[in-house]
Amino acid sequence: MPGRTRTRARALAAVALGCALAAGTATAAHAAPAAPTETAAETERAQQSGLREPADELGLRMGTAVSAHLLDQQVYRDTAATEFNFITHENSLKWESVQPQRGQYSFADADRIMEFAQANDQEVHGHTLVWHSQLPSWVEDGNFSEAELTEVTTDHIETTMGRYAGEIATWDVVNEPFNEDGTFRDSVFQRTLGEDYIAQALTTADSVDPDARLFVNDYNIEGINAKSDGMYALAESLLDQGVPLDGVGIQGHLVVGQVPGDVRQNIERFTDLGLEVVITELDIRMDLPVTEAKLERQAADYALVMDACLSVPGCSGVSVWGVTDAHSWVPDVFEGQGAALPIDEAYAPKPAYWAISGALGGATGPGTGDPDEPGEPGEQDCLVTYAVTSHWGQGAVVDVTVRNDTGEPVPDWSLTWTQPAGERITGAWNAQVVQSGSEATATPVAWNGTIAPGGSVTFGMQIEHGGEAASPAAFALEGQTCRTG
Ligand code: 9MR
């Protein structure tokens, strides 16, 4: 992150971490994967707006989890690049992803995320090396002896970390080693190697990349409780033994209205040990449906967590677990819950987004700060994304999302565009779409007649094409040209 300045008092927290942050700009040493190449314009945009700029100014890592396959979508890439200076592979660095069979490593997805982060000058947090979950059955059920499992684990750490040595500044070397009562969780590692597996993994990791900052990461350790006491005791013991532990990752999978009141004190007791703390996987879920009141409460909860981190020297980063609500693990796991992230499914900033931005010293709402924020005067005040969701020989299905950034409701909306040459719209849902020559117009169906301020409408279309489904060059909402993502 070249050219960072730390102008605010609370940025002092980050001063000691400057070297680690700078390490994130290292260049890729391995073969480039087959990923779209970033342009200088994307990189420039990434450094100009969103949460990223105020986070950069504070020297705070502000991150997100990223999925490799979603990098196909331009709006996802733009948002990940603009809003965040810190990237975690959501799944692509996990054991089952990189070594699904013994000795058969596969780094294509992990490399793709590395290339994206490096092209956008973002630091990367490595997640994760030793974890009981997303562990292939050849490890889980391998009936390995202590010596064999040590060899297998050492090889996995050496190969995975070694590939990115000098490129990944911080690693969750061990993930989720605790039960809720603070005792060590049963796992193939714990059963076979005893709790010393944690020290062994950290020691191996340190030998692979001595400059990397090595973390143990867990959930439900945000406040002071039995589980975080277990983590605290482990950290003290590892440090006493001289084991190379640099930090504690506090995941931060939280519930609206239930954020513990002592997050700051908890962070502080770890930093008092000389450790770094990162909130590694923040999301704050709610019971659906979403209401304004829940969104406001969620915003306050995000602010609380941000403030807790920002107020403790040594809390070096906060990462949210997914770019938007459309990419969150929460609805898949917690029935009836969701909307846990600061950006909604249509890429619109939620109150939580502005709470985070405000905590960082940036804008506190549309029109309060950065002229590139949605809804600012002088900007086009609608955003259209056009995503091909499936594709075959001469056909494709696309999703079109139009977001209203005007600050006013748009009733009886009408979206117009020129369909690329040779393409014909053969069907549509969630909107009425008429094509005349190459000119297309979408109008609402009964239930989505008005697009609320900050809200959006998504409709689908089936297209016939000559072999490739191209994106229209421009869209207009009520005759006003929209930004495209
Ligand atoms: O978000 C991840 C989801 O896509 C995976 O299916 C899941 C598998 O366990 O892991 C999720 O991420 C987890 C992270 O790796 C560790 N902490 C808890 C996260 C949410 O489950």
Side-chain angles (χ1 to χ4, degrees), residues 17 213-216 231-232 234-236 238-239 243-248 267-278 312-316:
L17 304 163
R213 312 265 305 156
L214 308 180
F215 283 63
V216 177
M231 179 68 97
Y232 186 80
L234 172 71
E236 266 193 317
L238 292 172
L239 293 172
V243 174
L245 174 72
D246 298 300
V248 168
I267 294 173
E268 207 158 35
R269 67 173 171 160
F270 288 105
T271 61
D272 283 349
L273 292 175
L275 293 170
E276 185 176 341
V277 169
V278 174
V312 181
C315 186
S316 63

Side-chain angles (χ1 to χ4, degrees), residues 429-451:
W429 48 98
N430 297 341
Q432 298 183 53
V433 180
V434 176
Q435 183 175 2
S436 167
S438 56
E439 298 311 307
T441 304
T443 50
V445 289
W447 49 269
N448 60 12
T450 298
I451 315 179

